[in-house]
Amino acid sequence: MDTISLKMPVTIKAKLTEKLKAKILGELEDGIKRAELEVQQLNIQEKRVMQENQPEDAENPTPEEIQRLQSIQAHFGQECQKRLQYREEAMARKEETEKLVLGAEIVQGTLERQVEVHVGDDMRELMNVEVLVEDDKIIAIRS
C-alpha cells in the first residue's frame, strides 16, 4: 500500500478588521451583561427558595432543615461563582481584544480536511495548513 486517505487538521485564522473587532467586543460585552443578569436572577431565586424552605420553628431548626438550607446556599453559591468566573474571563478577553492591532491574525478554530498521503510525503507540510480569512472571505491558504 503506497497511499492512504487521512483526516488532517486545518487552522482557521482571521485577519483582524474593524468589523471583526467590533463583533468580538460586542459578543464579549453581551456575555458579560448576560452573566451579570443571571447572577442577579440567581440571587432572587435563592432568596425565594430560602424563604420557602424556612424551618417551622426558626428558633430550633432540625439538623435536616439546617442541612437543606446549607445545601440550597451551596448550590446557588456554585451557580453564581460559575457566572462570575465567566464574567472575569470575558472581561480579560475583552481587554486583550481591545489591545490587538488591526491586521493581526487571530485563531478562530480548527476544521478537518481529507488528504491523500503517499509514501515519501512530508508529514509536517501536510499537518501545518492554515486558511486565512478577512471579513468572511478566504484570502490565503498556507502550508
Side-chain angles (χ1 to χ4, degrees), residues 91-126:
M91 289 176 75
R93 286 195 311 266
K94 183 180 173 204
E95 284 181 29
E96 291 171 14
T97 302
E98 288 170 342
K99 293 177 186 175
L100 291 174
V101 294
L102 297 180
E105 294 180 7
I106 55 175
V107 175
Q108 294 282 288
T110 304
L111 297 175
E112 288 186 343
R113 66 188 173 114
Q114 197 74 23
V115 179
E116 191 79 20
V117 294
H118 307 276
V119 173
D121 285 349
D122 184 351
M123 194 65 169
R124 185 178 308 250
E125 189 175 305
L126 293 170

Side-chain angles (χ1 to χ4, degrees), residues 14-30 93-104 106 108 133-136:
K15 195 169 188 178
L16 190 64
T17 61
E18 279 290 341
K19 180 180 170 183
L20 179 59
K21 191 172 186 177
K23 178 184 173 199
I24 293 170
L25 290 172
E27 289 171 354
L28 289 169
E29 190 64 41
D30 289 347
R93 286 195 311 266
K94 183 180 173 204
E95 284 181 29
E96 291 171 14
T97 302
E98 288 170 342
K99 293 177 186 175
L100 291 174
V101 294
L102 297 180
I106 55 175
Q108 294 282 288
V133 178
E134 182 176 359
D135 290 333
D136 299 327

Side-chain angles (χ1 to χ4, degrees), residues 50-62:
M50 290 294 286
Q51 286 176 347
E52 291 172 357
N53 286 282
Q54 282 300 313
E56 291 179 22
D57 181 7
E59 297 294 319
N60 197 12
T62 66

